[in-house]
Amino acid sequence: MRIDIITIFPEYFGPLSVSLIGKAAERGDISFGVHDLRKWTHDVHRTVDDSPFGGGPGMVMKPEPWGDALDAVASMGAGPGANPLLVIPTPTGVPFTQRHAARYAAEPRLIFACGRYEGIDGRVTDEARSRMRVEEVSIGDYVLAGGEPAVLVMTEAICRLLPGVLGNAESAADDSFGFGGGSSGGPMAGLVEGPAFTRPRVWRDREVPAVLLSGDHRAIARWRRDSALRRTAQNRPDLVWRLLAGSVAAEGEDAGEEAVRLDDHDRAVLAEAGFPVTGEDVAN
Ligand code: JD8
């Protein structure tokens, strides 16, 4: 996979050369290009922003440097890279989910456009749509000062799904939100995971749940699903309602074949966790 990033803070992406992603880049499994937007300015002050038409606070990023930068970077790729997907992080974008991460991980080439100030002149996205696929996404309902942190987050979520990036000890198959990129949503489909434990068996008078040392894999799997159901009911009731609606997909996302059934035991756990599960909730 090839990932190109356009930004006025190229040094922000130093972290891409460390940990799993850094090693994958060394192996050539992923290639990164980080491009300074100011390379496509022509004035002595290398200006990338100007005051907003119609007044208002802050500055807006000028369209010309962005148009020229996207022209140049998009034409850098050959073959499958010639049809890049342009991803623009913005607080006004559609919510970025594990499903997006899995879909983007299947792309041969991604270009990320990092805005700053009040954002990028709106014509840039429209003009780009006339010659490439463009998606505007948000990583969460809070306001950042620019797109760079969002691109770091998305790049990690995407690249860890690429073959060979995760060490064999780790696997994305049973990720929370359960879109391990595989066809089936996996055992944790639509849930967040419960707690994990390691040695010592007793720490500060706290014991690891005995079932985890039992070797009874069915009982362990049941215990893990129960703690995932409890934590999901506690922290993400929105996900439980989605499950009760028979799907793991967010509003407007196609559920594909990922219909999820909650068995009677699941229902009992959710009811015990205070979740208003009633018979008919599950009937449909
Ligand atoms: C891109 C400029 C700052 C945003 C005025 C603060 C994503 N989940 C998210 N929160 N914030 C962003 C984000 C913020 C950005 C840019 C992404 C470019 N800003 C602007 C509008 C209000 N300032 C984001 N993904």
Side-chain angles (χ1 to χ4, degrees):
M1 167 180 263
R2 168 78 183 182
I3 294 179
D4 286 285
I5 301 168
I6 305 169
T7 170
I8 59 171
F9 298 127
E11 64 281 9
Y12 208 103
F13 294 97
L16 290 178
S17 59
V18 303
S19 90
L20 292 170
I21 296 177
K23 291 188 181 59
E26 274 161 25
R27 285 195 308 270
D29 294 350
I30 312 169
S31 70
F32 289 103
V34 179
H35 312 275
D36 185 340
L37 179 70
R38 295 186 193 280
K39 181 177 167 193
W40 289 277
T41 62
H42 312 295
D43 64 307
V44 65
H45 302 299
R46 311 186 85 203
T47 305
V48 294
D49 63 313
D50 198 346
S51 50
F53 275 124
M59 301 292 272
V60 174
M61 299 193 94
K62 292 168 60 61
E64 305 96 320
W66 274 108
D68 297 347
L70 289 168
D71 291 351
V73 172
S75 61
M76 281 173 186
N83 173 23
L85 172 64
L86 174 60
V87 179
I88 305 177
T90 164
T92 62
V94 300
F96 176 79
T97 66
Q98 187 68 11
R99 183 176 291 274
H100 287 85
R103 182 161 56 80
Y104 292 173
E107 291 281 344
R109 183 148 182 244
L110 298 173
I111 300 176
F112 286 107
C114 302
R116 279 274 155 177
Y117 308 98
E118 296 309 302
I120 303 171
D121 182 294
R123 292 165 290 181
V124 171
T125 306
D126 296 344
E127 195 277 336
R129 277 189 206 294
S130 67
R131 50 205 171 87
M132 69 179 90
R133 296 168 299 142
V134 180
E135 295 191 22
E136 293 182 293
V137 296
S138 167
I139 63 165
D141 297 343
Y142 40 81
V143 179
L144 302 168
E148 285 80 4
V151 170
L152 278 178
V153 166
M154 290 190 275
T155 300
E156 171 126 350
I158 294 161
C159 292
R160 65 183 290 282
L161 298 177
L162 297 173
V165 171
L166 281 184
N168 44 28
E170 294 174 283
S171 89
D174 51 12
D175 269 349
S176 283
F177 311 109
F179 298 117
S183 62
S184 75
M188 291 299 166
L191 296 173
V192 297
E193 291 179 22
F197 304 89
T198 187
R199 284 181 286 271
R201 192 179 62 74
V202 182
W203 173 74
R204 295 189 181 182
D205 305 330
R206 285 169 171 73
E207 294 208 14
V208 169
V211 64
L212 298 179
L213 298 100
S214 68
D216 177 339
H217 298 299
R218 276 174 62 76
I220 291 168
R222 183 73 257 178
W223 182 91
R224 282 181 170 152
R225 184 170 176 78
D226 292 354
S227 60
L229 284 161
R230 277 191 288 273
R231 182 173 278 185
T232 307
Q234 178 72 32
N235 300 341
R236 295 296 308 275
D238 58 306
L239 294 180
V240 176
W241 283 118
R242 208 186 287 171
L243 281 175
L244 287 171
S247 163
V248 289
E251 212 56 49
E253 272 188 344
D254 76 41
E257 76 294 341
E258 321 238 14
V260 167
R261 311 276 350 119
L262 288 175
D263 64 21
D264 295 358
H265 185 120
D266 295 337
R267 255 177 310 144
V269 170
L270 290 171
E272 180 213 331
F275 209 86
V277 172
T278 60
E280 56 279 352
D281 270 333
V282 183
N284 56 21

